[in-house]
Amino acid sequence: MITVSAPPPPPPPQPQPPAGHAAAPEPARGRRWPTVVTSLVLLALLMFAQSFRFPNDSAVTEPMVASGDASAAVDAGSFTVKVDEVRFAKAIGDGAEDSGLSDFAPETEYIEANGVWVVVFMEVTATEKQLTTFESRLDSGDENVYASTSWLYNTFGSVDDGFPPGIPIKGAAAFEVPEKALKDPVVQMTISSGPGQRLAGEAHVKLGLSGDELKKAIDGAEETLDVPAPEMQKV
C-alpha cells in the first residue's frame, strides 16, 4: 500500500504597503536620547567659548586700569600720573586771598571736614591727545570708596582747561573721609577726552599709608589747608 503525503499549505501573504510608500523602519529605542544630550552639551560648550572670543561692547570700551604706588609714575596709556604728596587737614579752601568757592558752598572761607580731608597732590601728563574730564575717588581700604569734593574750584576735575598732550600739570584732588575708615588708601582716577568713560585711561595709585604711620598723619592734620590751582610745568 503506497501512502502519499500532501505538501504543507503555503504561508499566508504578508500585507504590503500602499503603492508609492516605503515600509517604515522600526524605531531604534533607547538610542536617540544620548545623541540629543551630547549635542546639547557640545552646543553649550561652544557658546561658552565664543563668549571669551567675542566680549560685549561694555567690556571692550570700559577703562583699562593701570596700578602702581606713589614711589613712581603710573602709566595709564592715555596719561601718566605721579603722586607727589599727601596732606591731611581739618579744613580746606581755595586760598586766603582769592577764594574760588562754589556758589553752593558754605559762606565760610574754609570748609571743615566731617572727619578729615585727604588732599592728594599729583602731576598728570596726557600722552597723546587733549584730555578734558577728570574723575577721582579714594578707596579708603575698608571696602568703601569716596568721591573727590566738588566744593572747590582749584581741584582737578572742577573748572580747568584740561590736560594738553605732553605738558605736565601739577594739581590736587581732595577727599572728605571718616577718620576711622582710613586703612590703606588708594587714589583712583579716570581721565578722558569727553563725557563718559568710553576708552578712558584709569590709574590706581597706592598711597603707601597704613598702620601707625597713617594714624600719625591723621592725628597731625593741619588746621587749614589752601589747595592751589592746577599749574602747567615747563618741559
Side-chain angles (χ1 to χ4, degrees), residues 200-215:
E202 182 170 332
H204 293 184
V205 183
K206 189 173 182 178
L207 300 182
L209 294 170
S210 60
D212 293 339
E213 183 181 3
L214 178 59
K215 184 179 185 304

Side-chain angles (χ1 to χ4, degrees), residues 31 66 68 107 128 132 166 222:
R31 299 179 184 176
E107 295 180 0
E128 297 178 354
T132 57
E222 303 171 55

